Amino acid sequence: MIGQSELKRALANEPHSFILLEGSKYSGRKTLLREVFPHAVWFDDCKVDTVRKMIEMAHRVYDSVFIMPDIDDMSLSAKNAILKLVEEPPNGNRFIMTIENVDNTLATIRSRAQIKKMQCYSQEELNTFLMGSGREDFTNEIL
């Protein structure tokens, strides 16, 4: 993945147990998390039953990373289950959730999270990507 080097370092070294990664759809949030946390446990929907399964697993394992993408439309009951989890994270586990806009979740969840945001690509990163894509002619049009 090109770019996001500062964010990658920040995520890898973040001691906080609960992180909300904010970024627009198709911004590479999931790709970035797969790169930084290749051995994470993924939960691909944000239904209350899935949240309960994550909580149950988090109480059985130690020092793991749990990722739940796209929590923007999470139900109130699922948000309340998450709130309980982030108030008392079990066994040194870390929880990372992606969201398009942090305002789409409860203020109590936001207050307990370390919020990280996808960064805009620098001109150098864009140039590197476009040059590697074989679209050198398009690079000058964009820049």
Side-chain angles (χ1 to χ4, degrees):
M1 173 174 209
I2 293 176
Q4 308 296 336
S5 55
E6 288 180 35
L7 181 57
K8 287 179 198 175
R9 274 192 298 280
L11 286 168
N13 298 315
E14 177 58 54
H16 202 280
S17 60
F18 180 51
I19 298 169
L20 283 176
L21 178 58
E22 182 181 42
S24 62
K25 202 169 217 152
Y26 309 114
S27 64
R29 298 171 299 177
K30 293 179 214 174
T31 302
L32 179 126
L33 290 175
R34 282 188 180 96
E35 190 173 305
V36 175
F37 303 105
H39 303 292
V41 179
W42 284 75
F43 292 87
D44 288 326
D45 70 60
C46 52
K47 296 176 182 168
V48 69
D49 289 339
T50 305
V51 172
R52 288 183 182 135
K53 286 177 190 172
M54 183 173 65
I55 292 168
E56 184 180 306
M57 181 182 271
H59 283 284
R60 290 192 320 249
V61 299
Y62 295 86
D63 298 321
S64 294
V65 176
F66 296 88
I67 297 175
M68 184 172 280
D70 305 323
I71 66 162
D72 293 85
D73 297 322
M74 184 180 274
S75 71
L76 184 58
S77 57
K79 288 176 184 178
N80 285 327
I82 289 292
L83 185 57
K84 182 172 174 45
L85 177 69
V86 299
E87 286 175 339
E88 301 170 14
N91 303 328
N93 293 314
R94 297 174 68 192
F95 302 89
I96 304 170
M97 298 177 188
T98 68
I99 193 164
E100 284 187 55
N101 184 335
V102 294
D103 293 332
N104 292 342
T105 194
L106 300 173
T108 50
I109 289 178
R110 285 193 310 268
S111 70
R112 287 164 176 79
Q114 182 67 35
I115 298 170
K116 302 288 185 184
K117 295 182 181 195
M118 294 293 288
Q119 304 298 309
C120 294
Y121 293 108
S122 70
Q123 184 172 347
E124 181 180 323
E125 289 167 337
L126 286 172
N127 195 26
T128 299
F129 173 75
L130 291 169
M131 295 300 263
S133 70
R135 298 294 314 264
E136 292 84 7
D137 58 321
F138 191 60
T139 303
N140 291 330
E141 290 178 41
I142 290 177
L143 300 175

